[in-house]
Amino acid sequence: MRQAIELLYFAYRAFTAEPDAILAELGFGRAHHRVIYFVGRNPGIMVSELLALLRITKQSLARVLSQLVREGYVLQSPGPRDRRQRLLSLTPKATALERLLTERQSQRIARAFARAGDGTADGFRRVLLGLMDDEDRRRFPDPDAPRRAPR
Amino acid sequence: MRQAIELLYFAYRAFTAEPDAILAELGFGRAHHRVIYFVGRNPGIMVSELLALLRITKQSLARVLSQLVREGYVLQSPGPRDRRQRLLSLTPKATALERLLTERQSQRIARAFARAGDGTADGFRRVLLGLMDDEDRRRFPDPDAPRRAPR
DNA sequence: GATTTTATGTCAGCCATATTGACATATTGC
DNA sequence: GCAATATGTCAATATGGCTGACATAAAATC
């Protein structure tokens, strides 16, 4: 059990190190990464939804988000039905950055799967899913969901 | 692959949330947790070894460590052979705190294993091991190490 | 024995990211 | 018209990183 605790610590540190280094050269930090990532995954997301996803305050988000908007990474457009909303999306520049960062992290994960051996990816995914809060787990498809019976 | 990235993010956030809350009541943060944890796991560790393990600067460690010493959580004793060293160990108070924090995290991991199902723990461990830096991986026993042949 | 290297500590300042609390503005919905 | 909602902003504070510079004691080496 203690081993699992340490594994998580060292793995997560390695997992974030490379993006952090790339971001630092652009004057960004990990908080910017999260915004770019989640806006990229959820284009047109509302500010309030992003806040709920990240679980930070709007004041914390503001600094990061306004910098991203100012520097041409994130676009804000009024909601079509509710004009109070500022729906967020990435510019091409940000999309490219998001791809780069995700690609690096994906490569690390792919190497980890390869090193860990066949059939380990499922256990990895299922345990991480079990680890997170119930509320967050709902965002993921149930790995035990009954599928259309294959003929 | 993107799913794995998000799983790591949400799982790690949940994994650290409960200790953070307990520590906050004592006026400590996550950095204190790391020191207490690793000193507890490695009693008699040198300051320089702890720095290498945490990969932070001595100035960063100093604030946290001196607070822990001041408040009676960590003991410093001169090295028996090299008196320049300050070998670190936990007081009973800190040992109790470390146990509490580790217990809560262990419980969360145990629940995750139970929810994930039999046979998932091995994949979880092996992938995390593959994810971390080579240097850190050396701290862990090789899961493929040949064992004494069972008769 | 003198000098250099090592282990550790400390002061000062800076940066990133989080917090709480208060208040402002525009828009929507009753 | 008015309350609620979505968002923004100002100010202060805490945490935990960083760099650079300097200090001290002990060990190791010439």
Side-chain angles (χ1 to χ4, degrees):
Chain A
M1 221 36 122
R2 282 190 179 270
Q3 195 197 28
I5 292 173
E6 295 176 28
L7 287 167
L8 271 166
Y9 171 65
F10 289 116
Y12 196 76
R13 181 168 75 183
F15 173 68
T16 52
E18 195 173 359
D20 284 354
I22 294 171
L23 291 156
E25 294 189 8
L26 296 169
F28 295 147
R30 203 175 290 182
H32 301 84
H33 187 185
R34 288 175 188 149
V35 171
I36 288 175
Y37 182 84
F38 284 115
V39 172
R41 291 276 76 199
N42 305 278
I45 191 175
M46 286 167 47
V47 171
S48 57
E49 289 170 338
L50 185 56
L51 288 173
L53 192 55
L54 297 175
R55 298 210 198 146
I56 57 174
T57 59
K58 63 177 173 178
Q59 296 91 328
S60 294
L61 178 61
R63 198 174 7 92
V64 172
L65 184 57
S66 58
Q67 187 187 348
L68 289 171
V69 171
R70 206 165 47 235
E71 299 185 15
Y73 286 83
V74 171
L75 293 175
Q76 295 173 307
S77 51
R81 266 162 294 281
D82 187 339
R83 295 193 333 255
R84 288 171 304 181
Q85 298 170 350
R86 305 289 184 86
L87 306 187
L88 306 175
S89 56
L90 298 186
T91 63
K93 180 163 71 164
T95 301
L97 175 58
E98 192 278 327
R99 282 216 189 97
L100 172 66
L101 297 169
T102 296
E103 186 195 336
R104 298 301 178 89
Q105 289 193 311
S106 296
Q107 283 167 359
R108 183 173 279 266
I109 293 171
R111 285 196 305 274
F113 284 160
R115 185 188 285 267
D118 289 342
T120 54
D122 185 60
F124 169 75
R125 280 194 247 263
R126 294 176 71 105
V127 175
L128 289 185
L129 199 60
L131 217 40
M132 71 181 59
D133 287 345
D134 296 348
E135 190 188 330
D136 293 328
R137 193 176 302 118
R138 289 191 214 114
R139 308 193 151 272
F140 294 88
D142 184 348
D144 293 324
R147 308 192 171 279
R148 210 175 319 229
R151 331 194 172 184
Chain B
M1 220 37 121
R2 283 191 179 270
Q3 195 197 30
I5 291 174
E6 295 176 27
L7 287 167
L8 271 166
Y9 171 65
F10 289 115
Y12 195 76
R13 180 168 76 182
F15 173 67
T16 52
E18 195 173 359
D20 285 353
I22 294 170
L23 291 155
E25 294 189 8
L26 296 168
F28 294 147
R30 201 176 292 183
H32 301 84
H33 187 185
R34 288 175 187 150
V35 170
I36 289 175
Y37 181 84
F38 284 114
V39 172
R41 290 278 77 200
N42 305 277
I45 191 175
M46 287 167 46
V47 171
S48 57
E49 289 170 338
L50 185 57
L51 287 174
L53 192 56
L54 297 175
R55 299 209 197 147
I56 57 173
T57 61
K58 62 177 173 176
Q59 296 92 327
S60 295
L61 178 61
R63 201 163 9 92
V64 173
L65 184 57
S66 58
Q67 186 186 350
L68 289 170
V69 170
R70 207 165 46 235
E71 300 186 15
Y73 286 83
V74 170
L75 293 175
Q76 296 172 308
S77 52
R81 266 163 295 280
D82 186 339
R83 296 193 334 255
R84 289 171 304 182
Q85 299 171 349
R86 305 286 184 87
L87 306 185
L88 305 175
S89 57
L90 298 186
T91 63
K93 180 164 70 165
T95 302
L97 175 58
E98 192 280 325
R99 283 217 188 97
L100 172 65
L101 297 169
T102 296
E103 187 195 336
R104 298 302 179 87
Q105 289 192 310
S106 296
Q107 283 167 359
R108 181 173 279 267
I109 294 171
R111 284 197 304 273
F113 284 160
R115 184 187 286 268
D118 290 342
T120 54
D122 184 60
F124 168 75
R125 280 194 248 263
R126 293 176 72 105
V127 175
L128 288 185
L129 199 60
L131 218 39
M132 71 181 58
D133 288 345
D134 296 348
E135 191 188 330
D136 293 328
R137 193 176 302 118
R138 289 191 214 114
R139 308 194 151 271
F140 294 88
D142 184 348
D144 295 323
R147 308 193 171 280
R148 209 174 319 229
R151 328 195 173 186

